[in-house]
């Protein structure tokens, strides 16, 4: 035993403050509350339908009427914002992602209805073409199947303008094209949308944890291969800092690290390096793993979820996008 250790013990007993609930609370370094949560919502065309997503028990694709009910629940629980992810009908998908920027499309229609009924509930929508392309990639492809950067940016700009026109609070580029944040910021400003924010998926990894999401938005079966030519290699962290630096420089208001729990080191490093709000996304695969183990009674769902969400806060997340947002909000209130 070292002499330092002998010198500190027993006068220093870290367990002393852990003994009582009051002192545990007083020394708590990080907190999790409902306002830190963002609820992602899958939407689809039609009426009065909730379609279960087999790989995400408890999560559904909602038609507008049900989406409004989910929004109402979110608002009443005190959740800060929701995000929308559309499952687009196969006949509306195309090589040029035309449907991504139609003012009367599914997403703009839902945005308008949500903003009318719940003006104070934050509304954030993805900018990426994967729900709209016949091949499930986030951008336009050339004859070799390579996702083209600058050509894609032109469509992303149109998509962002369509979302802004519909009244979205923030657009959220999740496509990982180079230069898209700058292009979108410039276009928004030129069209007078100076208050429309940008939450950039800055460090988005080519992750196997997105599997259930791709099933939810009907892009899984279409997608051949992977997204490694635009999403980041899970081996890298310096590259994440370069991505974040560029997005901030190009005008991102908030940045994101995604997925969540396997990338806490990236989140912590981004937070320590830049003075911007950093968000994290507890993605579909993370939800499915916790849910599956919970359904087997192998883990205590509530404790595992709240512990995971708190871990994001400890690592530096300002807010967390989570499919557990509604349940967690209710647990936090109880
Ligand atoms: C689309 C997009 C994806 C997710 C959010 N936006 C999937 C992907 O990039 O393939 C994943 C979210 C999740 O897994 O919960 N660009």
């Amino acid at each position: 035993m070292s002499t330092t250790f002998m010198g500190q013990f027993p006068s220093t007993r870290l367990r002393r403050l852990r003994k009582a609930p009051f002192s545990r609370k007083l020394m708590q370094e990080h907190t999790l509350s409902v306002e830190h949560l963002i609820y992602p919502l899958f939407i689809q065309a039609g009426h009065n339908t909730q379609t279960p997503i087999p790989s995400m028990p408890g999560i559904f694709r909602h038609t507008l009427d049900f989406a409004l009910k989910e929004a109402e629940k979110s608002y009443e629980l005190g959740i800060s914002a929701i995000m929308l992810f559309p499952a687009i009908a196969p006949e509306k998908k195309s090589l040029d992602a035309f449907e991504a920027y139609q003012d009367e499309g599914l997403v703009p229609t839902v945005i308008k209805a949500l903003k009318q009924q719940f003006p104070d509930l934050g509304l954030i929508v993805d900018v990426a073409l994967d729900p709209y392309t016949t091949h499930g990639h986030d951008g336009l492809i050339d004859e070799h199947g390579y996702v083209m950067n600058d050509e894609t940016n032109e469509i992303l700009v149109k998509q962002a303008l369509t979302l802004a026109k519909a009244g979205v609070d923030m657009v959220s580029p999740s496509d990982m094209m180079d230069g898209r944040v700058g292009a979108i910021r410039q276009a928004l400003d030129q069209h007078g949308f100076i208050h429309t924010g940008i939450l950039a998926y800055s460090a988005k990894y080519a992750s196997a944890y997105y599997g259930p999401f791709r099933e939810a938005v009907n892009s899984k079966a279409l997608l051949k291969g992977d997204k490694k030519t635009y999403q980041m290699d899970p081996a890298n962290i310096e590259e994440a800092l370069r991505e974040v630096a560029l997005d901030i420089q190009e005008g991102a208001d908030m940045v994101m690290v995604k997925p969540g729990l396997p990338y806490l080191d990236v989140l912590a490093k981004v937070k320590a390096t830049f003075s911007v709000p950093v968000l994290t996304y507890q993605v579909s695969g993370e939800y499915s793993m916790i849910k599956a183990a919970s359904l087997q009674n192998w883990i205590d769902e509530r404790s595992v979820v709240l512990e995971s969400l708190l871990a994001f806060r400890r690592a530096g997340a300002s807010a967390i996008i989570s499919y557990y947002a509604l349940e967690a909000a209710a647990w936090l209130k109880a």
Side-chain angles (χ1 to χ4, degrees), residues 135-137 214 219-228 230:
H135 43 72
H137 277 296
R214 291 180 191 164
S219 69
K220 193 173 194 159
L222 305 172
L223 187 66
K224 307 271 181 292
D226 53 46
K227 300 190 176 183
K228 287 180 184 168
Y230 46 108

Side-chain angles (χ1 to χ4, degrees), residues 40 42 56 83 85 126-131 136-138 172-176 201 204-214 217 219 223 227 230-231 256 258-259 281-287 321 323:
F42 295 113
M56 300 180 76
M83 289 179 92
F85 296 98
D126 248 43
V127 173
L129 305 183
D130 53 317
H137 277 296
D138 293 25
S172 196
S174 74
D175 51 278
M176 290 300 278
Y201 287 72
K204 177 171 178 178
Y205 287 85
S207 171
Y209 285 88
Y210 307 150
F213 173 99
R214 291 180 191 164
V217 301
S219 69
L223 187 66
K227 300 190 176 183
Y230 46 108
Q231 298 179 349
M256 194 201 298
K258 177 189 174 192
Y281 197 145
Q282 184 187 44
V283 300
S284 55
E286 297 178 69
Y287 173 89
I321 301 156
Y323 299 99

